[in-house]
Amino acid sequence: MKRLLVIASLAISALASAQDSSIGNPVNISFRAGFVYSLDNFTRNVTGNLIGVGAEYYLQRSLFADGETTLSADWMGRGLNGDKGNMFPIFLNQRWYVSGDYEDANRTYFYLGAGVAIIDVVSTNTVAAGRFGVGAEFGTHLFGELTLVYSDSSAGARASSVGAYLGYRF
């Protein structure tokens, strides 16, 4: 677990240092990494605190005016050793900007998402899930998000959690 935390910290540091250099025009994909706390007692007893890693694809057309629609997929788990205790939320999200212009690199936003969560804590099942979050852009590419996920139960376990992420948008 310590090794995984060191790797996650190095990845976040690399993202922060890359903020000053431009990789190119955005290609509608973002990656994020952070820490997740399970809100479900049963799940937390099995998993403890979790690492969260996710990717998001920004669709060309928004479902609602004045916002962005994205597809996201995340992994929330306690380690890469293959043990039980992994969750994979997949959402269709709608993001609305609260402050800043479209061209502004320092916007704040909130988002709602609906989808499913593949929960592999006791047994592997797919359940309905929802997501709410707030975020802020720290420049052209770097952003931070706070996320709340709620899911149905899968053999007593839920993907319900709060997470704090730092990400990079291409």
Side-chain angles (χ1 to χ4, degrees), residues 19 105-107 135-145 165-167:
Q19 178 62 27
N106 295 309
R107 302 177 288 182
E137 296 174 343
F138 304 127
T140 308
H141 301 288
L142 195 62
F143 65 91
E145 291 183 347
Y165 294 92
L166 186 61

Side-chain angles (χ1 to χ4, degrees), residues 8-146:
S9 298
L10 290 173
I12 290 170
S13 297
L15 284 173
S17 67
Q19 178 62 27
D20 294 333
S21 65
S22 178
I23 294 177
N25 293 331
V27 292
N28 297 333
I29 296 175
S30 66
F31 295 98
R32 64 184 169 276
F35 297 97
V36 178
Y37 178 79
S38 178
L39 296 175
D40 182 62
N41 288 334
F42 180 81
T43 304
R44 191 172 52 254
N45 287 339
V46 174
T47 64
N49 291 327
L50 305 166
I51 299 293
V53 177
E56 203 159 21
Y57 175 73
Y58 296 77
L59 300 177
Q60 302 236 339
R61 301 193 73 189
S62 179
L63 294 176
F64 299 97
D66 299 328
E68 291 180 316
T69 303
T70 66
L71 291 172
S72 66
D74 289 90
W75 165 73
M76 300 183 304
R78 62 180 175 175
L80 299 173
N81 57 7
D83 289 345
K84 294 284 187 187
N86 298 289
M87 294 167 280
F88 303 91
I90 302 166
F91 294 109
L92 178 65
N93 307 285
Q94 181 65 36
R95 175 179 298 166
W96 291 274
Y97 290 94
V98 179
S99 69
D101 297 330
Y102 181 75
E103 299 297 326
D104 188 10
N106 295 309
R107 302 177 288 182
T108 57
Y109 55 89
F110 72 95
Y111 55 90
L112 296 171
V116 298
I118 302 167
I119 300 175
D120 184 28
V121 174
V122 176
S123 61
T124 305
N125 291 309
T126 302
V127 297
R131 171 177 142 159
F132 169 77
V134 295
E137 296 174 343
F138 304 127
T140 308
H141 301 288
L142 195 62
F143 65 91
E145 291 183 347
L146 296 175

